């Protein structure tokens, strides 16, 4: 709102409109964090990876640590997560194509969590996190659905994507310690190549892989049988796009 100041000059009342003051640095910072959290949860509505990059760039500028982006990129390169397409290229090699950038959002969310920007819906207690990481790889040795994941491990810390079961999504489970890796469930929904594209046949998104660990990208993935079956091949036209 504009400020209106009443000034009395020689018994005359004059209204002077002053410019609206700009937001304080703390308000701008909090706003950027809120926008990043919204973009990570609904990447399709905010522009996907471009939105993540812009918001993170602004946040690092406000924190006066722009060099953190180059450090992050180097760490992703070491893990095999950074490609000419960014993290999207790494996922493109192992998951079937689907709209939304949910899997990429989970990677940026891990960085946001370490920076203290991420606002999870819940965090796992130490015992919960240890139980999850201790058995999830074996649990993913058989095919699972979205409903199976939440029934077994509870609601996620962050849901990347919407609640409509006809679309894929990614579920992230976070410990209290931001230095520990997030446990990520990558789910897909879609149609077979020869079928009508919509609606998809599965009533629930199918679990393709569980991802966690601080080592290489490929080493962090545990595929379900469905995930192994749906890995892109050299003949897949999506790989040439």
């Amino acid at each position: 709102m504009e400020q209106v100041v009443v000034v009395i000059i020689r018994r005359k009342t004059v209204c002077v409109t002053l410019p609206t003051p700009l937001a304080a640095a703390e308000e701008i910072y909090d706003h950027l964090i809120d926008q990043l959290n919204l973009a990570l949860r609904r990447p399709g509505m905010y522009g996907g990876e471009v939105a993540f990059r812009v918001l993170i760039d602004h946040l690092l500028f406000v924190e006066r640590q722009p060099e953190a982006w180059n450090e992050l990129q180097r760490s992703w390169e070491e893990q095999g997560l950074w490609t000419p397409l960014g993290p999207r290229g790494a996922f493109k090699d192992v998951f079937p194509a689907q709209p939304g950038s949910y899997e990429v959002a989970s990677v940026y969310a891990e960085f946001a969590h370490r920076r203290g920007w991420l606002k999870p819906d819940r965090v796992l207690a130490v015992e919960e996190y240890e139980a999850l990481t201790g058995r999830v790889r074996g649990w993913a040795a058989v095919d699972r659905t979205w409903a199976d994941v939440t029934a077994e491990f509870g609601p996620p810390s962050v849901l990347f994507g919407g609640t409509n079961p006809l679309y894929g999504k990614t579920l992230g489970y976070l410990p209290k310690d931001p230095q520990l890796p997030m446990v990520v469930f990558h789910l897909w929904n879609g149609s077979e190549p020869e079928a009508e594209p919509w609606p998809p046949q599965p009533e629930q998104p199918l679990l393709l892989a569980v991802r966690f660990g601080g080592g290489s990208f490929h080493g962090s993935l545990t595929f379900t049988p469905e995930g192994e079956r749906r890995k892109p091949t050299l003949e897949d036209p999506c790989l040439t796009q």
Side-chain angles (χ1 to χ4, degrees), residues 18-64:
L18 300 179
T20 302
L22 298 176
E26 292 79 7
E27 294 176 291
I28 296 171
Y29 183 67
D30 291 343
H31 175 73
L32 290 171
I33 289 175
D34 288 342
Q35 290 297 300
L36 178 61
N37 277 270
L38 290 171
L40 290 170
R41 284 169 166 82
R42 301 305 296 269
M45 295 176 60
Y46 284 82
E49 191 170 0
V50 173
F52 310 152
R53 292 280 300 273
V54 170
L55 288 165
I56 287 173
D57 179 72
H58 291 346
L59 282 165
L60 292 175
F61 173 80
V62 173
E63 292 184 352
R64 299 188 179 187

Side-chain angles (χ1 to χ4, degrees), residues 39-44 48-49 52 76 81 85-111 158-162 167-172 182-189 208-211 217 220-221 223 232:
L40 290 170
R41 284 169 166 82
R42 301 305 296 269
E49 191 170 0
F52 310 152
W76 282 349
L81 253 174
L85 297 175
R88 180 168 65 92
F91 285 103
K92 190 176 180 182
D93 290 341
V94 295
F95 291 158
Q98 65 176 340
S101 301
Y102 309 127
E103 66 283 352
V104 176
S106 69
V107 175
Y108 282 89
E110 290 175 299
F111 177 66
V158 185
L159 170 61
F160 304 98
Y167 294 90
K169 54 198 85 267
T170 294
L171 313 182
M182 178 164 59
V183 181
V184 185
F185 294 81
H186 295 288
L187 298 118
W188 171 90
N189 204 350
L208 298 182
V210 177
R211 180 175 63 83
F217 169 62
S220 69
L221 291 166
F223 289 91

